[in-house]
């Protein structure tokens, strides 16, 4: 299934990003992303403030990759990442670390949808990404169980240009 998801994103022209699972408050603060301190898996002897805990979201990593590319002149960015997030679920025991690892997919698109100089350039927008996500939901056979709503509670997302995707029960 992961290979099919990879093939779908690569077929649309995305590049796969592989970012570090270690993250710190400076990067989260840079993008206005909060985290659950009581559920964070902290590193006992971090090398720097940028690598103090295991990530609870991959959004900051993706946004940082977009910023890096923008800063270096690349404006047409289509990236995604299949990566793990980590949350403390219960106290650690000899048999269980108490940490839950979730595999998530996150990504970003910006710039032109077609870099061909012979055609008129069209900017990527909300509906470009919605079409790609519809293809993903169809691949996963979830198209009838998806509900879209405004993502008002995410302060780091643009109002009116973002959506909350909810998976409905059967």
């Amino acid at each position: 299934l992961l290979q099919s998801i990879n093939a779908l994103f690569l077929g649309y022209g995305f590049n796969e990003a592989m970012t570090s699972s270690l993250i710190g408050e400076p990067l989260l603060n840079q993008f206005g992303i909060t985290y659950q301190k009581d559920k964070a898996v902290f590193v006992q002897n971090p090398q720097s403030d940028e690598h103090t805990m295991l990530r609870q979201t991959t959004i900051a990593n993706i946004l940082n990759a977009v910023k890096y590319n923008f800063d270096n002149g690349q404006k047409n960015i289509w990236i995604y990442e299949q990566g793990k997030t980590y949350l403390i679920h219960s106290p650690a025991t000899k048999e269980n670390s108490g940490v839950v690892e979730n595999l998530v997919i996150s990504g970003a698109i910006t710039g032109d949808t077609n870099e061909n100089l012979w055609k008129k350039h069209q900017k990527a927008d909300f509906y470009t990404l919605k079409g790609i996500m519809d293809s993903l939901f169809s691949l996963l056979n979830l198209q009838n169980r998806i509900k879209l709503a405004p993502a008002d509670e995410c302060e780091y997302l643009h109002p009116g240009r973002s959506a909350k995707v909810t998976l409905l029960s059967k």
Side-chain angles (χ1 to χ4, degrees):
L1 183 62
L2 292 178
Q3 289 177 340
S4 297
I5 293 170
N6 248 359
L8 180 117
F9 281 107
L10 293 173
Y12 273 109
F14 282 76
N15 291 302
E16 184 175 11
M18 297 181 81
T19 62
S20 175
S21 293
L22 290 173
I23 198 167
E25 282 189 42
L27 184 61
L28 294 169
N29 292 338
Q30 179 180 359
F31 297 111
I33 299 173
T34 58
Y35 71 99
Q36 298 172 316
K37 194 168 189 167
D38 60 323
K39 295 188 180 216
V41 181
F42 288 99
V43 176
Q44 287 192 358
N45 293 314
Q47 296 292 326
S48 69
D49 289 343
E50 287 82 25
H51 301 97
T52 58
M53 67 184 113
L54 291 173
R55 64 187 175 190
Q56 294 179 357
T57 178
T58 56
I59 300 293
N61 301 75
I62 290 294
L63 292 175
N64 196 43
V66 169
K67 180 188 178 311
Y68 177 83
N69 280 281
F70 255 71
D71 290 350
N72 287 287
Q74 178 55 261
K75 307 299 185 207
N76 297 321
I77 304 162
W78 289 52
I79 61 171
Y80 78 101
E81 179 176 19
Q82 293 182 41
K84 289 186 178 180
T85 60
Y86 307 86
L87 293 168
I88 293 177
H89 179 63
S90 60
T93 65
K94 285 184 179 183
E95 296 82 27
N96 186 345
S97 69
V99 176
V100 175
E101 298 179 15
N102 293 307
L103 183 61
V104 298
I105 300 171
S106 59
I109 60 173
T110 185
D112 294 330
T113 58
N114 187 342
E115 291 187 55
N116 188 338
L117 296 176
W118 297 103
K119 295 184 179 179
K120 182 179 177 186
H121 293 275
Q122 182 178 352
K123 295 289 182 195
D125 61 9
F126 174 85
Y127 296 101
T128 306
L129 186 57
K130 183 182 180 299
I132 295 166
M133 296 309 298
D134 285 344
S135 295
L136 175 63
F137 300 144
S138 181
L139 173 70
L140 299 173
N141 201 23
L142 298 173
Q143 64 272 23
N144 296 326
R145 295 180 52 204
I146 298 298
K147 177 184 170 192
L148 294 177
D152 297 330
E153 68 273 0
C154 290
E155 63 277 355
Y156 56 87
L157 294 177
H158 188 289
R161 293 186 184 177
S162 57
K164 177 181 179 182
V165 179
T166 304
L167 178 63
L168 304 172
S169 59
K170 290 186 178 184

